[in-house]
Amino acid sequence: MNVAAHQILISEAEVNRRIREIAEQINSDYADKSIHLVCVLKGSVMFMCELAKRLTIPVTFDFMSVTSYGSGSSSSGVVRIVHDLTEPIEGKDVIIIEDIIDSGTTMNYLLTFFHERHPASLKLCTLLDKPSRREVEIPMDYVGFQIPDEFIVGYGLDYDQKYRNLPYIGTIKVD
Ligand code: IMP
Ligand code: MG
């Protein structure tokens, strides 16, 4: 497999500007409340931190890690929990923080899993949305950017566990 150099799709300044807008929206939507942010590891960690820094309402964090069985770049829809939540979400106002919604199979599973634990409310916040690849309809409350069907790296997203640290959103050609 041959990996060409990555290209910048969305600059660091543009990502930060959009994250600030989302944070302001969340601050206003939850003005008299506190929220429980759940970061879906590993890809969402940079987005979660940058977003949380700009929130002025009371916030708590939890983390979850999942993998989907399947080969190549398409997930099978069978999701396995690698690291579960460490605190109950029952009665809490929860926002799931995700890096990208692609086919939607991972989030479809997670939304069912979360609803079964009876949060007071549940919203989904994703940095990126790749609508052309969607196989399952996913209700999204906060979306950073809609992007074309290209393989994304940076700002937490990886190719073969690399490039997560890039401070911008890039595309990579994988032959
Ligand atoms: P889905 O279940 O097909 O929606 O896949 C979602 C997961 O696949 C995301 O949380 C990412 O971890 C990964 N993923 C999907 N598209 C990309 C991409 O373009 N770059 C890096 N990871 C991706
Ligand atoms: Mg993810």
Side-chain angles (χ1 to χ4, degrees):
M1 198 173 271
N2 201 6
V3 180
H6 62 272
Q7 291 191 319
I8 298 178
L9 179 68
I10 307 168
S11 71
E12 183 174 9
E14 219 177 321
V15 182
N16 289 340
R17 189 164 51 239
R18 183 71 189 118
I19 291 177
R20 178 171 300 280
E21 285 174 1
I22 295 172
E24 283 167 5
Q25 185 67 53
I26 292 174
N27 285 332
S28 122
D29 291 352
Y30 293 83
D32 53 349
K33 294 185 171 167
S34 55
I35 48 169
H36 190 61
L37 300 180
V38 176
C39 174
V40 185
L41 295 171
K42 304 172 192 169
S44 311
V45 78
M46 197 179 288
F47 177 41
M48 164 109 143
C49 293
E50 293 301 319
L51 182 71
K53 280 157 63 178
R54 295 164 172 93
L55 294 173
T56 51
I57 50 172
V59 166
T60 52
F61 284 3
D62 207 348
F63 298 87
M64 194 161 178
S65 181
V66 295
T67 56
S68 50
Y69 291 109
S71 57
S73 58
S74 62
S75 52
S76 62
V78 183
V79 177
R80 184 166 64 94
I81 294 168
V82 178
H83 174 74
D84 201 349
L85 300 172
T86 58
E87 290 167 63
I89 58 167
E90 186 170 347
K92 293 181 183 166
D93 291 305
V94 175
I95 304 180
I96 303 174
I97 309 294
E98 180 61 301
D99 52 358
I100 185 166
I101 307 293
D102 189 36
S103 71
T105 51
T106 308
M107 190 47 62
N108 187 47
Y109 174 89
L110 276 180
L111 287 173
T112 307
F113 172 91
F114 274 69
H115 277 300
E116 282 169 355
R117 295 186 177 193
H118 306 295
S121 68
L122 182 64
K123 285 192 181 183
L124 171 61
C125 176
T126 184
L127 178 61
L128 301 171
D129 171 25
K130 228 193 255 184
S132 57
R133 300 249 308 169
R134 197 65 31 79
E135 289 168 20
V136 196
E137 198 186 324
I138 301 292
M140 283 175 276
D141 302 284
Y142 306 102
V143 177
F145 302 92
Q146 284 202 338
I147 51 159
D149 184 11
E150 293 193 68
F151 198 82
I152 300 299
V153 292
Y155 227 90
L157 290 102
D158 73 305
Y159 173 73
D160 200 17
Q161 298 301 324
K162 294 189 278 283
Y163 307 104
R164 292 191 193 275
N165 59 312
L166 298 178
Y168 47 79
I169 292 167
T171 57
I172 205 166
K173 292 267 179 291
V174 182
D175 302 320

